[in-house]
Each structure stands twice: as C-alpha cells, then as structure tokens.
Amino acid sequence: MDMPNIRARLLVVLVVLCGFLSVAGTPSASAATIADSLSFDGTALTVANGRFVDANGREVVLRGYNVSGETKLAENDGLPFASVADAKKSATALRALGGGNSVRFLLSWAYAEPVRGQVDTTYLAAATEQMRAFLDAGIRVYPDFHQDLYSRWLFDSDSWYTGDGAPKWAVDLGNYPDESCGICLLWGQNITQNGAVKAAQYDFWHNAYGLQDAFLATAQTTMTYVKQHLSAEEFAGVVGFDPFNEPYAGTYDSGQNSRTWERDLLWPFYVKFRARMDAAGWQDKPALVEPNLFWNGNVSKEEGGLLDAGTLGSRYVFNTHFYDQKAISGILMWGNASDGQYVTDFGTVRDRASAAGTTAVVSEFGHPLNGSTAGKAPTVLKAMYQALDSRVKGANWWSTPATSGPVLSGTQWQWDIYNGRHNELMNDNPDKVLTSGDAWNDEDLSAVKLDDSGTAVLRQDARLLDRIYPSATSGTTVAFTYEDRSRDGSITLTWNPVPSSLPNVASLVGAGQYSLLVWRSGGGTTPTELHLPASFPTATTTVVSDLGTVYGPPAYTSTTKIAAAAEPGGTGSRRLLLTDSDSGVLHYALVTNGATAPSATVLSAARTELSAWAAQRFG
C-alpha cells in the first residue's frame, strides 16, 4: 500500500511544509457448460491495442481488491491468510459481495528469502495454495512483491512506525543508522525524512551488496515455482507480475530528479525483472510496472510516469496508484468529493498508458474508513469508481459520451478479512500488540471484515462496491457509465440522472441503479459480459438494447442474444451476456433494476429513444 491515511498526509506535509442468486430458469447441462467456459478458457490475457484481451479477442476489464495488507504483518508469516480455508472464504466473499474478478496478491521478499540465497519453498507453497483459492473461484490474480519503508527490520522495537519488504539479512548488510523520523506525525514521512529508510532505499536501487541481484533471483525462483505448481488452466488466470510497490529513490544522486531517476535506475530494473519473468516461463504475461510513488496522488509536483521508457508495448502495463491526498489530509480539501472529482486525474492515467502503447491498471486506490477524514470515504470512493468507468463527469455524460474513453482496470486497497481482529506484535514487541483496523501504522481501509460468527461482511455500501462493469467486451468499448446510487449516510448520491429528453428511459430507471454500455462489434461470436451485482436479481433486471429488450433475462444458450449466467467459480455471482454476430456495428445496452414488470410498450419506447440518442451521439 499505499498512500492512504498516513502516507497521503505525508505528501501534503512534504509539499506544504517543504448470498447466491440464480439465473432465471434452469439451463440445460450443455448450456451451463457453454456459459461456464466463457471467461476462463485456459488461456492467458494479453495486451493488444491498449487493452487487456482474452483468447476470444474480447477487451477485458479487471476489477477487484488488494489481498491483502495482512502480508505486511508477521502474525501469519507474510501470507495474506492464516489458512487455505480462510483464503477460500475470502475469495468467495470477494466475488459474491464485492463483485471482483481479480486481485492484486501481495507477497513478501522477507519471507520468501529469509536467509540470503535460500528461498523458502514452504512459504512459496503456502502462497501458491492461497492464490489457487482465488483462481478456483474464477478470480484472476497478479502477484506483487510488496514493500513499504523498505523493511520492518529498520525499525526499533519501541518505534512509532514499522515497515515491510526486505529481509533482515538485507538490512544487516547496510549497517544503517538508528532509525528516526524526527518530527513525523504520519508514517509516510519516513520515506523522505528517516535516514535509515532513505539509505536502504538508495542501496537497493544502486545494487549495493548485490541486494537487487538477490531480489531478482528470488523473484525468478518464485515465478518458476508458481508456474510449476499451478495447472495450465490455473496459470492462465495469472495476469502478470507487479515487480515493486511504490518505488522511490531514497536519495537522488547529484543532478538527478524523479524523472531521470526513473530513466537511469527504475526502468533498467524493470527490464531486468522482465528478463527474469521470461526465464521463469512468464514470457507471455506482462510486467505491471509502477512509476515513482509521487506519481500516485494529487499533491506532489514531482515529474514521472516512465516518460523516457519509450513505447512499453504489450510486454508491460502502466500500473499506478491513486489516493486523494488532499481529502486525506483534512487540510487541503474541505467537504466531500463531488461529481467528476477525479475524471481529470484518471484521464491522465489513460493518456499516459495510451502514449506508452499499452493499457493501464490503477492497482491501488481507496480512502480511510476510520479517523478524522473517514466521513469523506463514501463520496471519494464513488468519485474514484466513476473515474475508472469514464473520463466524463455524470452531468456531462449523456451529452458527450463519445469522449468516455476506455474503462480502466483497478483494485481497491484493500480486502482484509482480519480487519479489527489482528494480533500483531508491532516490530516484534510483545508490549505493542495491535488488534484494531489493519494493524499497520494506524491504517484502516479494508472493505471487508468477519463478523462475530466468522462470516465475511462488507464495511462499505454494497451499492458502491458490487458494481456493474464490462468484464469482457466483444469488440471495442466506446462508452460506459454506471449510476450506483450509493449512500453517504442517509443521502442517496445520484450524479448521473437520466436526462428528461429520454422520458421512457428515465421512467424505466426510476430511482433504481443503471448502467449503459456502448460498444462496436468486432466480429467475434463470444458474448460481451457485464458483471451483475447482487442488487440486480435476474428475475427483475431490465435490459434495453438494439439486440432486443428483456425483463428477467433467460438462461444462456448459444442462440440467445440477451441472457444471464453464473460467473465461473461457483460463488453465486452472476453476469449478463450480450451476443452479436456482426463486425463494426455500434451496439448499446441499458441495464437497470428500477422497473417492475415494464410493459412491452414502455420497453419499445425506451429502445426507440436510446437508438435515436446513440445515432446522434456516435453517428
């Protein structure tokens, strides 16, 4: 992680101061088999034309969560879960409650290589089994060797702060000064103010003591192990690898700045990591590479974004984070987020990926759920999801949908079922046992927790988290929006109302939720898929499309243009399937839960309105 709560406010200081729902009907065995095979087809995702693409040529959008900050703790030995059973419970909940189809899966260098040159295969085996729990639930995975403040072993047992990442032996090699952050109220200030952290980061990027070589060797061994111990079908669900979380120089060399540091030290590291992926048999999977950490927010003016790396192409994905440091600070943004708050920020992500010739993923975003700015979370998160969906604010979407841009992939920070139930000895100090929140530097961002019965429950509005999104588009996505009607306390947040110029569409939607996808067909026969949230029961979901109109989509068959089916993985989550058989044709589909048994007349009238609107806006 991770800039929420504390690290985000750090940057402000730096800048300012220096349940199962089945589809309608019971499909035949053959139809069920066809539907179950649509998303996981035994082949990996690739990157083409600035999008993730599956074996059927469909554009794929990844949405989910980071699993999880538990990896940063010692209580489960650097693993996201205490057991495979807990991993399965988390995966099922993530799919059924959180609507996710992917996770960023955190790994720890410290536990992978506790002794220099000796990779712990027991750790790798446990991590691989926990990954398998998500893959078996139909959830794609991309691992991340995570670090924050370089290593926990830089910190004294009585320190106010802690870190994660590098093993103890790596810290011992440096003979670093006693850690001290001076006047630091926020944990992230250690990045640029703690001499030990700065020196250790500097050493890693300059390969002092062969530290970077050791890390790369461990990464290759890890990737080789994972590939060898997953089946071919399971390995197909592994998207790629995130080499390093939130990289930072520590200290710049003379005359160096953030941009030249990326060029001279960070990018060569990614090239080396890419070679290790190839050697481990991951040559067909992209490296999801992050720019310097100051690129991840909306306060720092430091330059970056891998601007001098040239065309990244299909072997790399532009991978960034985003936290609203102004909102988290409690100083630089008064009040809540509003419609369109982040469309410019996320538009910059789209533009940078496009210029680099690749796709993008926002692998971390979020906002604290506890503390002085927690009240902003409902609007901040809604605005972030809105910006992932489209680069157009809600008030303008219906009039200018053609500038919507590609739908961004993203994984929220975080999904930790142990939230509020930890037993972490901070810096191995038995007198500092952390149990609340995320049990790490006072953070509290998990979207989930276990209740007293051991059942996973959401800590945020389900309408916000469990969303419609186009998980696979047969052709090219032209525009997309989703009005989730999530709540800020007792207030329903409606930022994209249907305009009065479409009275029958507005009548169908009413006070309900709705999405609208516009795509241009690509000539394939595999359906377009949209995730159906639990708030969209199949029997009461309305679809208005140029492909037809349906109230209560039927079960999928190879001849049904609009249908519903279970998501793969047996978690009870569902999807809408839209099948076209042409190429280069503009299609649209409105999906809403606002209507109750609408008449054929209303459905036809709404279709007429949408057809005229689409012809006008995209003609």
Side-chain angles (χ1 to χ4, degrees), residues 152-427:
R152 72 185 285 123
W153 283 279
L154 284 173
F155 293 85
D156 300 330
S157 62
D158 60 350
S159 177
W160 289 6
Y161 307 105
T162 191
D164 69 288
K168 184 178 185 299
W169 61 260
V171 172
D172 291 343
L173 285 172
N175 192 30
Y176 299 115
D178 187 48
E179 62 92 7
S180 175
C181 196
I183 304 175
C184 287
L185 302 178
L186 313 169
W187 73 260
Q189 291 177 257
N190 286 273
I191 301 170
T192 56
Q193 292 181 225
N194 190 318
V197 174
K198 291 168 62 178
Q201 292 175 111
Y202 182 91
D203 280 353
F204 179 85
W205 296 113
H206 289 79
N207 199 26
Y209 319 109
L211 287 169
Q212 195 175 115
D213 291 339
F215 174 84
L216 290 167
T218 296
Q220 180 177 336
T221 301
T222 298
M223 289 184 283
T224 300
Y225 186 96
V226 169
K227 184 177 189 299
Q228 290 176 344
H229 290 82
L230 293 176
S231 69
E233 183 177 5
E234 290 167 340
F235 189 59
V238 178
V239 176
F241 209 109
D242 182 345
F244 201 91
N245 179 69
E246 294 182 356
Y248 177 62
T251 302
Y252 294 128
D253 291 320
S254 177
Q256 196 175 55
N257 58 31
S258 57
R259 177 170 178 170
T260 57
W261 176 78
E262 284 188 350
R263 181 194 66 197
D264 297 339
L265 290 170
L266 182 59
W267 181 248
F269 166 75
Y270 287 148
V271 172
K272 294 175 186 175
F273 195 97
R274 173 72 266 180
R276 297 287 185 158
M277 292 179 69
D278 295 348
W282 292 51
Q283 61 270 16
D284 296 327
K285 299 181 184 295
L288 290 80
V289 293
E290 301 186 30
N292 77 77
L293 70 87
F294 287 107
W295 212 85
N296 296 342
N298 58 352
V299 172
S300 173
K301 301 303 182 184
E302 296 221 18
E303 194 174 25
L306 305 175
L307 295 171
D308 300 299
T311 299
L312 301 186
S314 62
R315 286 167 57 77
Y316 298 91
V317 167
F318 185 69
N319 169 18
T320 188
H321 302 171
F322 183 80
Y323 294 98
D324 185 346
Q325 299 151 7
K326 296 178 182 178
I328 294 170
S329 73
I331 300 171
L332 297 181
M333 187 187 103
W334 298 103
N336 292 331
S338 59
D339 178 25
Q341 188 89 16
Y342 307 118
V343 295
T344 299
D345 296 299
F346 283 53
T348 301
V349 175
R350 289 176 171 89
D351 292 342
R352 180 67 200 109
S354 177
T358 187
T359 190
V361 59
V362 183
S363 62
E364 286 188 28
F365 62 94
H367 191 85
L369 301 182
N370 206 346
S372 61
T373 68
K376 300 178 187 293
T379 56
V380 166
L381 266 295
K382 180 180 173 73
M384 288 180 178
Y385 274 111
Q386 179 194 53
L388 287 173
D389 289 344
S390 171
R391 66 188 303 160
V392 182
K393 65 188 294 184
N396 298 341
W397 193 90
W398 284 92
S399 59
T400 59
T403 59
S404 192
V407 180
L408 284 175
S409 294
T411 47
Q412 182 177 330
W413 186 274
Q414 65 161 328
W415 190 268
D416 175 18
I417 61 172
Y418 306 118
N419 177 271
R421 296 176 180 272
H422 293 284
N423 186 36
E424 173 69 3
L425 277 63
M426 184 176 179
N427 297 318

Side-chain angles (χ1 to χ4, degrees), residues 1-2 69-74 146 148 152 164 413 440 443:
M1 203 200 92
D2 327 83
E70 173 69 25
T71 299
K72 299 198 275 189
L73 310 183
H146 209 77
D148 293 283
R152 72 185 285 123
D164 69 288
W413 186 274
W440 199 85
E443 291 200 335

